[in-house]
Amino acid sequence: MDLHSLERQILLYYPNADLKLIRDAYDFASVAHKDQRRHSGEPFITHPLAVAEILAELQLDLVTIAAGLLHDVVEDTPISIDTVREVFGEEIALLVDGVTKLSRLEYKTKEEQQAETLRKMFLAMAKDIRVILIKLADRLHNMRTLKHCPVEKQKDIARETLEIYAPLAHRLGIFRLKWELEDLALRYQEPEVYYELVKSISKKRQEREEYIQKVAAILREKLQESGIEADIQGRPKHFYSIYNKMKKQQKELNEIYDLIALRVIVDTVKDCYAVLGIIHALWRPIPGRFKDYIAMPKPNMYQSLHTTVLGPEGEPFEVQIRTWEMHRTAEYGIAAHWRYKEGYTTSDKEFEQKLTWLRQILDWQRELRDPREFMESLKIDLFSDRVYVFTPKGDVVELPAGSVPIDFAYRVHTDIGHQCVGAKVNGRIVPLDYQLKTGDIVEILTQKGSGPSRDWLKIVKTSQAKNRIRQWFRRVEREKNLAKGRELLEKECRKQGLEPEEVLKAGFLQEVARKFNLTSPEDLLVAVGDGVVTPSQVLGDLKEKEEEEKGEELPPMDTLPPAKSWTGFSRPSQGVRVKGIDNVVVRLAHCCNPLPGDAIVGYITRGRGVSVHRSDCPNILHHLRQEAERIIEVAWDQEAEATYQVQIEALALDRPRLAMDIMSAVADTKTIINAVHARATRNNMATVDLKLEIRSLEHLQYIMDKIKRVKDVMEVKRVTPS
């Protein structure tokens, strides 16, 4: 393939095309990739040329083909997307950017990178569907040349092709690409199975071809007698399709009876049904094997009549009957209806309706930030087999195979899903875990004021239903925790002799919320209700603030009794007793966050009572040198049941879900986590910082030991807050 071959291919369907854009794009790409080679050793430019050729075979517009030539310049050369935009304009830049992978450096794992690259591609598809047409062409040529890659990479690319790109081609109706992508993926994913199939099928090829020719001759004669012009051709079954059928039905190759297939292409829809009648008159149809995709097209626009009959000698074979326009749509899918193509007259509105499924998928996936959840959800909503059910009014609703009435309810409307209490299918009451089948008429029974059950999350199939159910519970939990938080705070206020109305002022709560990295007073109250923040932590800030505002100082040092005369300790405050002074404000220093079990020392502050530090705290060591007279003896109250905030740091090998596993280990001990911050460091390492509510030094050591047992954790230590 060279530039001249590409130009000839374009001129076949676009005879008056001005090919300057194509030549400019080719020249630009040639210079950009001039020093690069593929795994095969060929010049890199052979790849974008091959991608452009596939796009030309799909008879796409010049802009798309030019973008195909340029699709790797941003990803694989120093050229930026801004340069592409400057030279070739916004439209081509959008297409090139849409197929450019996100940098591996931006993500911790390959899985996260793949999920976000796909998310980016889908967003670009929503703006311009040609993005995915270029990506499919790119993937097809990579699959054709996959033999030059290492075996492990072959398997990874083949698996991704089967899971993502072949189903996408199917959803867009581009069967010409779908079948080849699937067969090539099977060849590298399951090489032994693939070559065994090729060998077994080739043995019977001559026999099958002779049979098809015999059947075609009989049918051709009958159609001529009826005055119907038709093109009759044998249709080879693709290897992946045969493999899939064998796997699903658990059958051997010789048990698959529809390996023989015939395709009849006629001029009109009327002729399609006439041909069907003639075929059924000639050979007995097999019950349950007739499908009318003309009256009810698939969402990917595919239309045909399918029937399986018992032919001569009792041999079953499948027949597809379609018009030439349907055949073109079956081969090219969305590309056959491309609105940018010269002479295409279908309205934008009609075109957009064909892509409704894409908009819905984007809406449903928007909230899924976990890469694994995103990928699994994508495979279910976009690529699984489909069922088509009806509302009582006759509207068709498309759902993934395995969907239940609850999925249907949420697809109709969120409120119908929330209020669902039962369902009727074909007029009969069914359980909510009933799996819907194509053709079912579904009616949802609702009750106002009811809500979803958590058990629904175990039976629903679609991510749309799962998201809506989770949102409902989050909202309900938030309202419940908001009320509970307000109540706990009011109770703590009364206990400490404070006015709840004063404490619950938005201004004060906003300040405290900011301290806990929360955005609003409401969020703070929810956190209190959920046990993430304690009422005493909120009011502790208020106490400090009041003391500062009053500016009350302790008596001068010379009025305090000398240390030798202090014979007893004060009543406990903050779990600490102060020797020789009663009724004094005690606070634990934030610089070292002492815990019961730590050796502690008191420091008499100016206006804020006694500040309690760990004896090894750098600040207290400074005070000892500069203001030794202000140091005072303190001791932990053995009977106190208070909790204390401590910060610890875990150092570990970086991996997905590391922070979640550490938090889960802490949560198992019923310990409150006030804050978590995880970050990647050099050499594939990560640190996870946690602020915890701890009762004692023994409690802290227990937590640290639990975290050390988490997979990949190397070190856990207590740290001084910054």
Side-chain angles (χ1 to χ4, degrees), residues 186-223:
L186 179 63
R187 175 180 165 186
Y188 293 103
Q189 186 82 346
E190 303 272 1
E192 291 178 10
V193 173
Y194 176 81
Y195 287 111
E196 183 59 36
L197 266 179
V198 172
K199 184 180 170 185
S200 303
I201 290 169
S202 63
K203 282 181 184 176
K204 297 184 177 181
R205 180 176 293 157
Q206 187 178 349
E207 182 187 323
R208 284 203 322 275
E209 285 178 353
E210 286 174 2
Y211 185 86
I212 281 291
Q213 286 170 8
K214 178 181 175 183
V215 168
I218 295 169
L219 181 57
R220 193 173 287 110
E221 186 181 335
K222 285 291 180 184
L223 293 180

Side-chain angles (χ1 to χ4, degrees), residues 603-650:
Y603 169 71
I604 302 172
T605 68
R606 292 175 174 81
R608 296 179 65 187
V610 174
S611 175
V612 177
H613 297 254
R614 278 168 33 197
S615 58
D616 60 352
C617 174
N619 287 336
I620 206 68
L621 295 174
H622 169 77
H623 291 315
L624 270 169
R625 287 193 297 271
Q626 303 295 324
E627 305 175 287
E629 71 279 4
R630 286 184 174 271
I631 304 303
I632 192 166
E633 188 178 348
V634 292
W636 293 107
D637 177 38
Q638 301 302 316
E639 298 175 4
E641 294 184 1
T643 58
Y644 309 86
Q645 184 164 281
V646 176
Q647 187 168 323
I648 62 173
E649 179 182 273

Side-chain angles (χ1 to χ4, degrees), residues 13 100 183 245 295 316 351 359 417 454 468 496 504 544 554 590 601 618 642 645 659 701:
Y13 67 92
T100 300
D183 283 357
K245 190 163 282 192
F351 185 85
R359 308 287 189 279
R454 287 193 185 274
R468 298 296 179 265
Q496 296 196 22
L504 293 171
E544 282 187 20
L554 289 171
H590 291 304
V601 175
Q645 184 164 281
Q701 192 57 51

